Amino acid sequence: MKKDELIHMWQEESDRLFRDEKTDRDMITQYLNEKTLKGNRSIKFNLIFYGLIQVANIVLLSMNLAGYLNNTAIIWILLPMLVITIGILVYGMDVFYRFREINNYSDSLQNLIEKQLWFYRRPYEFWLVLASISVIILSMNINLYVDNDNGSYVIYNKLRFAGMTLGMFIFIYGALKLTSQLGLRKLKAYLSDLRAGSLDQSKQIERGQKKFLWLWVLVFVLLTVIMILGLMKALP
């Protein structure tokens, strides 16, 4: 075999390997891009859902302010709640638009993931606390509206009430934080796989998600039971 033929065969083999490697990397990038988009939808849903909770809180607070107009003690509790709720709504809108600006798809996937990691660790982390507080405000105002007795509201066991409120906050924040940590872990795995040119960590996380599916089902059942009990209490 002539030397020129050997060189030609070597070049063809090198070109084939390069095309295969490029194809594999493109497939990995496409796969990770789709996974990142899926995570984005989850964040947007959370921000919109809890934004609607703020709107519901403002409506309930307005109704309770009118219903307890002659009760100075309750009014001084409701007014700070209203200010806090408006603040949470404004901050949530700012976080939502900031997240939209981050997801500039003309940027590289690596830069996009790095920006999302910053988003999870900074503005979204603080938003989790505010979102949990907003659910407490919603629960308290539903009780105030339902149990309004001619402008008065009685708490018979203040210690128990405070304990239940704190427990609800811890549970809600814990659930949101758990979801956030899962999203953060996924992004770290996507970034690592993107740099390494593999899908090892991403696949490992997917297998772990399937194992812990029963935990998500349990959380969903608990939240459903809490909602049903709250509705039953609200019924006359």
Side-chain angles (χ1 to χ4, degrees), residues 23-225:
T23 301
D24 291 342
R25 183 168 288 276
D26 289 343
M27 290 176 65
I28 289 170
T29 302
Q30 183 179 358
Y31 174 84
L32 295 176
N33 187 57
E34 290 174 356
K35 291 293 182 180
T36 305
L37 286 173
K38 188 176 180 180
N40 290 352
R41 289 193 290 268
S42 175
I43 293 291
K44 287 180 180 178
F45 173 81
N46 280 347
L47 292 171
I48 293 172
F49 176 77
Y50 281 91
L52 294 175
I53 286 182
Q54 310 319 315
V55 175
N57 280 342
I58 291 173
V59 172
L60 277 169
L61 281 161
S62 301
M63 295 169 66
N64 283 329
L65 282 168
Y68 291 92
L69 194 60
N70 297 321
N71 191 324
T72 307
I74 298 294
I75 291 295
W76 280 109
I77 294 173
L78 292 174
L79 285 175
M81 282 188 183
L82 182 60
V83 173
I84 291 170
T85 299
I86 293 173
I88 294 174
L89 178 62
V90 171
Y91 182 76
M93 291 172 64
D94 178 65
V95 170
F96 180 82
Y97 285 113
R98 200 181 303 184
F99 186 68
R100 287 185 60 184
E101 289 177 2
I102 286 173
N103 289 287
N104 181 5
Y105 296 108
S106 62
D107 204 350
S108 67
L109 181 58
Q110 180 173 330
N111 288 340
L112 174 63
I113 294 175
E114 288 174 347
K115 289 177 182 177
Q116 287 188 1
L117 284 170
W118 172 85
F119 175 83
Y120 266 94
R121 291 165 177 155
R122 296 295 178 85
Y124 192 66
E125 175 64 29
F126 183 56
W127 178 86
L128 295 178
V129 178
L130 298 181
S132 305
I133 292 173
S134 69
V135 177
I136 302 300
I137 292 174
L138 177 65
S139 174
M140 292 178 68
N141 275 275
I142 289 175
N143 287 331
L144 283 168
Y145 180 76
V146 172
D147 297 333
N148 187 343
D149 186 15
N150 295 320
S152 63
Y153 181 80
V154 181
I155 300 175
Y156 294 102
N157 192 327
K158 295 181 180 179
L159 185 62
R160 182 183 176 187
F161 176 81
M164 289 181 64
T165 302
L166 179 61
M168 185 185 299
F169 173 81
I170 292 173
F171 178 79
I172 295 166
Y173 176 74
L176 289 172
K177 181 68 174 179
L178 185 65
T179 306
S180 174
Q181 285 297 110
L182 180 60
L184 191 62
R185 187 183 171 196
K186 284 181 179 179
L187 286 174
K188 289 179 180 178
Y190 298 160
L191 185 60
S192 177
D193 284 348
L194 187 64
R195 289 169 174 169
S198 67
L199 293 174
D200 295 339
Q201 294 194 36
S202 302
K203 295 296 185 181
Q204 185 178 352
I205 285 180
E206 286 186 3
R207 289 193 295 268
Q209 275 188 278
K210 293 176 181 178
K211 290 180 181 178
F212 288 101
L213 181 61
W214 63 270
L215 179 61
W216 298 113
V217 172
L218 179 62
V219 170
F220 177 77
V221 171
L222 284 173
L223 289 174
T224 303
V225 170

Side-chain angles (χ1 to χ4, degrees), residues 3-30:
K3 183 179 178 181
D4 291 342
E5 291 179 351
L6 287 172
I7 293 174
H8 180 69
M9 289 176 63
W10 178 82
Q11 287 178 338
E12 284 187 340
E13 183 65 17
S14 297
D15 291 341
R16 187 186 65 79
L17 291 173
F18 176 77
R19 286 194 302 271
D20 291 345
E21 182 180 354
K22 187 176 184 302
T23 301
D24 291 342
R25 183 168 288 276
D26 289 343
M27 290 176 65
I28 289 170
T29 302
Q30 183 179 358

